[in-house]
Amino acid sequence: MFSYKFSLFELYVLFFILVLQRPMATTRAEDDTESHEVAEVDNNWWRHAVFYQIYPRSFMDSDDDGIGDLQGIISKLPYLAETGITATWLSPIFKSPMVDFGYDISDFKDIHHEYGNIDDFEELILQANSLGIKIVLDFVPNHSSDQCEWFKKSAAREEGYEDFYIWADGKINANGEQEPPNNWQSIFYGPAWTWHPEREQYYYHQFTKEQPDLNYRNSEVIKAMDEVILFWLDKGVSGFRVDAVNHLFEDPDLKDEPLSGKTEDPKSYDYTQHLYTKDLPEVYDMLQHWRALLDDYSQTHGGPERIMMTEAYGDIKYLMDYYENKEGVKGPQFPFNFLLLTDLNSKSDARDFVFNIQKWLTYMPRNHVANWVMGNHDNPRIASRFSSNSVDAINMLIMSLPGVAVTYNGEEIGMEDFRDISWVDTVDPPALNAGPDKYKLVSRDPERTPFQWSAEKNAGFSNADKTWLPVHPNYEELNLELQKATEKSHYTIYKDLVQLRKSEVLQQGHTRLEVFNRNVFAVIRSLKGDKSIITIINVGPEEEVVDLHDILDDVKQLTVLISGANSIYEKGNAIAVEEVTNFIMAPQEAVVCMIE
Ligand code: GLC
Ligand code: MG
């Protein structure tokens, strides 16, 4: 079927032409690991980066307690460098009672003891930087742990701390009983208010009752959090992923929220419309304040731009003003784009994909950087959300799109959710709140199981007898070691993609999206003076045949750059013009080609 096969040498030449063709003024430091020590400041380091999210508890355990830790991460830095990624973001590593696995912080300036200590952290930064990898930390400003000194002092009405949190008196109902101040619900099920017997008031918590919300209407709280940011910047972090930012402010009058009509269950978060607890305009002020703090730090301390990327699930118009408001005031470098995570699933067809990708690009203000989040510790994995056959196609898609790609650890090997975690082994707080009958509907444990490094005990994650979450039983067949040894695996494809993404056409090129039919679509990236790259994706369950001439003028031949594990195409294949007319795509297959 193919008119020509490339030799190894030709492939090498091809790679050379494609990737190293021109000096890349803007991204040199990230492309050349040897040059990271050159004092040249690279403010573009983040603009086309793959941000690899590490969930520290599940990444690598160095001390055999069944819990991942900083030394574990350090031991795997060479692996990260080998994949070609240049930036990571770490879920929280701070001191915590671990009710919400680190998202309940009791000391914002200390490392959690199970993960190591501040020396380990300094070593991590040093080693990562020496491998050309930037470290971004999770900044969790909305709430602390109830074990945080601030909360204890606030509960005791200690001077200066009285209003650090959101306190309110209860209401007395018709039966003379005490009730929470209003009808606000926690995201994790049940009332967002908990009675504090010492203070004799209710406190507000958007998440678990062990995560009281800080009061951002108090300038002392803002100051305290600025210090947290500066503390970690001084340790050498390159920026922050900022947690749950759209929950930073609530209506000061504590008005009841109108009912949504979506559910009869008054304990459900969906019971009310969140007019007074979410996406308040004051959120912009805080984000702009933090952006100014980071910009000021970068300027006064030199070095590359320190960045922030925010987590908020919400209306796209509201999110776009995070980038920059109408007056041109900037917030985060980018708000996470969750459209491909929340609005696409195994039922989505080619039109849904293109529509959602285009949506972000359409709404985004000019001269900003797009981003594509395909997974995180709060959502089902690619293999489980789509299908295990879709992993390569989905990775090819996000790597072909412009801007930042975000990979959740394990997605490079196509790890699967472990849906059969028993009730006894369940630890995620919303799952515990839901109870033994309903926990599987909300549990985030399935996507948080330990990284599958090898076929050894506990998938090579730990030598402990019991790991904090069970290892997925499929680890003997699905692990990194095996995929490294297989010529074409999710991992080798992922690695090729990260490399290809460093080409100028994928970094700077114009983006065009085309729908062929209900199942097949394409992303075309083109740059004047460069050969264009096309990624063709069949998201459907059947083989499809499309005519690429429908969307490409003047194509003479395609050269396959990357293809999926089960693809009929091989890297280096040249596809002649006749075959371009009847281009065969296997089910759930994708292929990345250079257009000649
Ligand atoms: C974010 C985190 C999630 C956590 C919540 C509360 O959504 O990603 O894991 O439970 O914030 O901090
Ligand atoms: Mg450990």
Side-chain angles (χ1 to χ4, degrees), residues 123-141:
E123 188 184 336
L124 171 67
I125 289 274
L126 216 68
Q127 302 252 9
N129 287 350
S130 79
L131 290 167
I133 297 171
K134 296 219 165 30
I135 302 277
V136 166
L137 287 186
D138 211 330
F139 173 49
V140 187

PDB file of all heavy atoms in Angstrom, residues 123-141:
ATOM      1  N   GLU A 123      16.477  20.055  47.347  1.00  0.00           N
ATOM      2  CA  GLU A 123      17.183  19.121  46.460  1.00  0.00           C
ATOM      3  C   GLU A 123      16.366  18.881  45.176  1.00  0.00           C
ATOM      4  O   GLU A 123      16.920  18.826  44.073  1.00  0.00           O
ATOM      5  CB  GLU A 123      17.413  17.809  47.216  1.00  0.00           C
ATOM      6  CG  GLU A 123      18.301  16.834  46.459  1.00  0.00           C
ATOM      7  CD  GLU A 123      18.431  15.492  47.193  1.00  0.00           C
ATOM      8  OE1 GLU A 123      18.240  15.449  48.435  1.00  0.00           O
ATOM      9  OE2 GLU A 123      18.706  14.490  46.507  1.00  0.00           O
ATOM     10  N   LEU A 124      15.062  18.759  45.369  1.00  0.00           N
ATOM     11  CA  LEU A 124      14.184  18.542  44.207  1.00  0.00           C
ATOM     12  C   LEU A 124      14.319  19.686  43.201  1.00  0.00           C
ATOM     13  O   LEU A 124      14.479  19.461  41.997  1.00  0.00           O
ATOM     14  CB  LEU A 124      12.727  18.401  44.680  1.00  0.00           C
ATOM     15  CG  LEU A 124      11.654  18.375  43.580  1.00  0.00           C
ATOM     16  CD1 LEU A 124      11.759  17.120  42.735  1.00  0.00           C
ATOM     17  CD2 LEU A 124      10.250  18.465  44.178  1.00  0.00           C
ATOM     18  N   ILE A 125      14.256  20.899  43.704  1.00  0.00           N
ATOM     19  CA  ILE A 125      14.352  22.077  42.820  1.00  0.00           C
ATOM     20  C   ILE A 125      15.698  22.067  42.084  1.00  0.00           C
ATOM     21  O   ILE A 125      15.749  22.247  40.866  1.00  0.00           O
ATOM     22  CB  ILE A 125      14.221  23.375  43.656  1.00  0.00           C
ATOM     23  CG1 ILE A 125      12.800  23.542  44.147  1.00  0.00           C
ATOM     24  CG2 ILE A 125      14.698  24.596  42.886  1.00  0.00           C
ATOM     25  CD1 ILE A 125      11.864  24.239  43.177  1.00  0.00           C
ATOM     26  N   LEU A 126      16.745  21.822  42.840  1.00  0.00           N
ATOM     27  CA  LEU A 126      18.098  21.841  42.270  1.00  0.00           C
ATOM     28  C   LEU A 126      18.253  20.802  41.165  1.00  0.00           C
ATOM     29  O   LEU A 126      18.716  21.077  40.066  1.00  0.00           O
ATOM     30  CB  LEU A 126      19.080  21.552  43.411  1.00  0.00           C
ATOM     31  CG  LEU A 126      20.397  22.285  43.374  1.00  0.00           C
ATOM     32  CD1 LEU A 126      20.170  23.771  43.620  1.00  0.00           C
ATOM     33  CD2 LEU A 126      21.328  21.725  44.468  1.00  0.00           C
ATOM     34  N   GLN A 127      17.851  19.587  41.495  1.00  0.00           N
ATOM     35  CA  GLN A 127      18.010  18.482  40.544  1.00  0.00           C
ATOM     36  C   GLN A 127      17.122  18.677  39.319  1.00  0.00           C
ATOM     37  O   GLN A 127      17.535  18.391  38.196  1.00  0.00           O
ATOM     38  CB  GLN A 127      17.630  17.157  41.206  1.00  0.00           C
ATOM     39  CG  GLN A 127      18.439  16.864  42.432  1.00  0.00           C
ATOM     40  CD  GLN A 127      19.425  15.735  42.172  1.00  0.00           C
ATOM     41  OE1 GLN A 127      19.589  15.310  41.035  1.00  0.00           O
ATOM     42  NE2 GLN A 127      20.075  15.267  43.221  1.00  0.00           N
ATOM     43  N   ALA A 128      15.889  19.141  39.568  1.00  0.00           N
ATOM     44  CA  ALA A 128      14.972  19.353  38.445  1.00  0.00           C
ATOM     45  C   ALA A 128      15.555  20.419  37.522  1.00  0.00           C
ATOM     46  O   ALA A 128      15.630  20.229  36.306  1.00  0.00           O
ATOM     47  CB  ALA A 128      13.595  19.763  38.954  1.00  0.00           C
ATOM     48  N   ASN A 129      15.988  21.525  38.114  1.00  0.00           N
ATOM     49  CA  ASN A 129      16.539  22.597  37.286  1.00  0.00           C
ATOM     50  C   ASN A 129      17.738  22.120  36.488  1.00  0.00           C
ATOM     51  O   ASN A 129      17.905  22.494  35.333  1.00  0.00           O
ATOM     52  CB  ASN A 129      16.928  23.808  38.147  1.00  0.00           C
ATOM     53  CG  ASN A 129      15.684  24.546  38.617  1.00  0.00           C
ATOM     54  OD1 ASN A 129      14.576  24.272  38.162  1.00  0.00           O
ATOM     55  ND2 ASN A 129      15.857  25.465  39.543  1.00  0.00           N
ATOM     56  N   SER A 130      18.556  21.264  37.110  1.00  0.00           N
ATOM     57  CA  SER A 130      19.749  20.821  36.393  1.00  0.00           C
ATOM     58  C   SER A 130      19.374  19.918  35.216  1.00  0.00           C
ATOM     59  O   SER A 130      20.168  19.709  34.324  1.00  0.00           O
ATOM     60  CB  SER A 130      20.732  20.141  37.349  1.00  0.00           C
ATOM     61  OG  SER A 130      20.298  18.828  37.588  1.00  0.00           O
ATOM     62  N   LEU A 131      18.153  19.394  35.224  1.00  0.00           N
ATOM     63  CA  LEU A 131      17.700  18.587  34.087  1.00  0.00           C
ATOM     64  C   LEU A 131      16.797  19.390  33.144  1.00  0.00           C
ATOM     65  O   LEU A 131      16.166  18.835  32.237  1.00  0.00           O
ATOM     66  CB  LEU A 131      16.935  17.359  34.594  1.00  0.00           C
ATOM     67  CG  LEU A 131      17.790  16.302  35.305  1.00  0.00           C
ATOM     68  CD1 LEU A 131      16.907  15.307  36.044  1.00  0.00           C
ATOM     69  CD2 LEU A 131      18.673  15.568  34.310  1.00  0.00           C
ATOM     70  N   GLY A 132      16.715  20.687  33.403  1.00  0.00           N
ATOM     71  CA  GLY A 132      15.899  21.542  32.533  1.00  0.00           C
ATOM     72  C   GLY A 132      14.405  21.421  32.795  1.00  0.00           C
ATOM     73  O   GLY A 132      13.592  21.672  31.915  1.00  0.00           O
ATOM     74  N   ILE A 133      14.055  21.042  34.021  1.00  0.00           N
ATOM     75  CA  ILE A 133      12.634  20.895  34.354  1.00  0.00           C
ATOM     76  C   ILE A 133      12.239  21.936  35.401  1.00  0.00           C
ATOM     77  O   ILE A 133      12.890  22.054  36.442  1.00  0.00           O
ATOM     78  CB  ILE A 133      12.353  19.480  34.907  1.00  0.00           C
ATOM     79  CG1 ILE A 133      12.649  18.432  33.826  1.00  0.00           C
ATOM     80  CG2 ILE A 133      10.914  19.356  35.398  1.00  0.00           C
ATOM     81  CD1 ILE A 133      12.620  17.002  34.338  1.00  0.00           C
ATOM     82  N   LYS A 134      11.194  22.669  35.118  1.00  0.00           N
ATOM     83  CA  LYS A 134      10.728  23.678  36.063  1.00  0.00           C
ATOM     84  C   LYS A 134       9.666  23.079  36.990  1.00  0.00           C
ATOM     85  O   LYS A 134       8.876  22.236  36.576  1.00  0.00           O
ATOM     86  CB  LYS A 134      10.164  24.866  35.305  1.00  0.00           C
ATOM     87  CG  LYS A 134      11.228  25.578  34.465  1.00  0.00           C
ATOM     88  CD  LYS A 134      11.031  27.043  34.532  1.00  0.00           C
ATOM     89  CE  LYS A 134      12.191  27.872  34.052  1.00  0.00           C
ATOM     90  NZ  LYS A 134      13.051  27.318  33.026  1.00  0.00           N
ATOM     91  N   ILE A 135       9.690  23.550  38.232  1.00  0.00           N
ATOM     92  CA  ILE A 135       8.731  23.031  39.216  1.00  0.00           C
ATOM     93  C   ILE A 135       7.688  24.106  39.546  1.00  0.00           C
ATOM     94  O   ILE A 135       8.022  25.220  39.941  1.00  0.00           O
ATOM     95  CB  ILE A 135       9.441  22.609  40.525  1.00  0.00           C
ATOM     96  CG1 ILE A 135      10.503  21.545  40.254  1.00  0.00           C
ATOM     97  CG2 ILE A 135       8.437  22.181  41.585  1.00  0.00           C
ATOM     98  CD1 ILE A 135      10.009  20.122  40.151  1.00  0.00           C
ATOM     99  N   VAL A 136       6.440  23.723  39.389  1.00  0.00           N
ATOM    100  CA  VAL A 136       5.318  24.584  39.747  1.00  0.00           C
ATOM    101  C   VAL A 136       4.589  23.910  40.907  1.00  0.00           C
ATOM    102  O   VAL A 136       4.366  22.694  40.876  1.00  0.00           O
ATOM    103  CB  VAL A 136       4.381  24.754  38.518  1.00  0.00           C
ATOM    104  CG1 VAL A 136       3.051  25.352  38.908  1.00  0.00           C
ATOM    105  CG2 VAL A 136       5.062  25.607  37.449  1.00  0.00           C
ATOM    106  N   LEU A 137       4.276  24.696  41.937  1.00  0.00           N
ATOM    107  CA  LEU A 137       3.604  24.116  43.103  1.00  0.00           C
ATOM    108  C   LEU A 137       2.116  24.451  43.104  1.00  0.00           C
ATOM    109  O   LEU A 137       1.684  25.418  42.473  1.00  0.00           O
ATOM    110  CB  LEU A 137       4.217  24.652  44.395  1.00  0.00           C
ATOM    111  CG  LEU A 137       5.599  24.136  44.767  1.00  0.00           C
ATOM    112  CD1 LEU A 137       5.989  24.655  46.147  1.00  0.00           C
ATOM    113  CD2 LEU A 137       5.647  22.608  44.755  1.00  0.00           C
ATOM    114  N   ASP A 138       1.373  23.670  43.862  1.00  0.00           N
ATOM    115  CA  ASP A 138      -0.042  23.930  44.033  1.00  0.00           C
ATOM    116  C   ASP A 138      -0.187  24.967  45.141  1.00  0.00           C
ATOM    117  O   ASP A 138       0.365  24.798  46.233  1.00  0.00           O
ATOM    118  CB  ASP A 138      -0.745  22.618  44.446  1.00  0.00           C
ATOM    119  CG  ASP A 138      -2.170  22.543  43.962  1.00  0.00           C
ATOM    120  OD1 ASP A 138      -2.796  23.605  43.843  1.00  0.00           O
ATOM    121  OD2 ASP A 138      -2.658  21.423  43.722  1.00  0.00           O
ATOM    122  N   PHE A 139      -0.902  26.022  44.859  1.00  0.00           N
ATOM    123  CA  PHE A 139      -1.180  27.047  45.864  1.00  0.00           C
ATOM    124  C   PHE A 139      -2.672  26.935  46.166  1.00  0.00           C
ATOM    125  O   PHE A 139      -3.499  27.008  45.244  1.00  0.00           O
ATOM    126  CB  PHE A 139      -0.792  28.414  45.275  1.00  0.00           C
ATOM    127  CG  PHE A 139      -1.167  29.606  46.109  1.00  0.00           C
ATOM    128  CD1 PHE A 139      -0.868  29.668  47.472  1.00  0.00           C
ATOM    129  CD2 PHE A 139      -1.809  30.697  45.523  1.00  0.00           C
ATOM    130  CE1 PHE A 139      -1.204  30.786  48.217  1.00  0.00           C
ATOM    131  CE2 PHE A 139      -2.141  31.819  46.269  1.00  0.00           C
ATOM    132  CZ  PHE A 139      -1.850  31.863  47.619  1.00  0.00           C
ATOM    133  N   VAL A 140      -2.998  26.695  47.428  1.00  0.00           N
ATOM    134  CA  VAL A 140      -4.394  26.423  47.796  1.00  0.00           C
ATOM    135  C   VAL A 140      -4.900  27.570  48.678  1.00  0.00           C
ATOM    136  O   VAL A 140      -4.884  27.485  49.904  1.00  0.00           O
ATOM    137  CB  VAL A 140      -4.512  25.072  48.541  1.00  0.00           C
ATOM    138  CG1 VAL A 140      -5.971  24.696  48.774  1.00  0.00           C
ATOM    139  CG2 VAL A 140      -3.815  23.958  47.754  1.00  0.00           C
ATOM    140  N   PRO A 141      -5.328  28.670  48.057  1.00  0.00           N
ATOM    141  CA  PRO A 141      -5.643  29.863  48.843  1.00  0.00           C
ATOM    142  C   PRO A 141      -7.037  29.870  49.461  1.00  0.00           C
ATOM    143  O   PRO A 141      -7.274  30.604  50.421  1.00  0.00           O
ATOM    144  CB  PRO A 141      -5.546  30.986  47.802  1.00  0.00           C
ATOM    145  CG  PRO A 141      -5.903  30.342  46.506  1.00  0.00           C
ATOM    146  CD  PRO A 141      -5.423  28.919  46.611  1.00  0.00           C
TER     147      PRO A 141
END
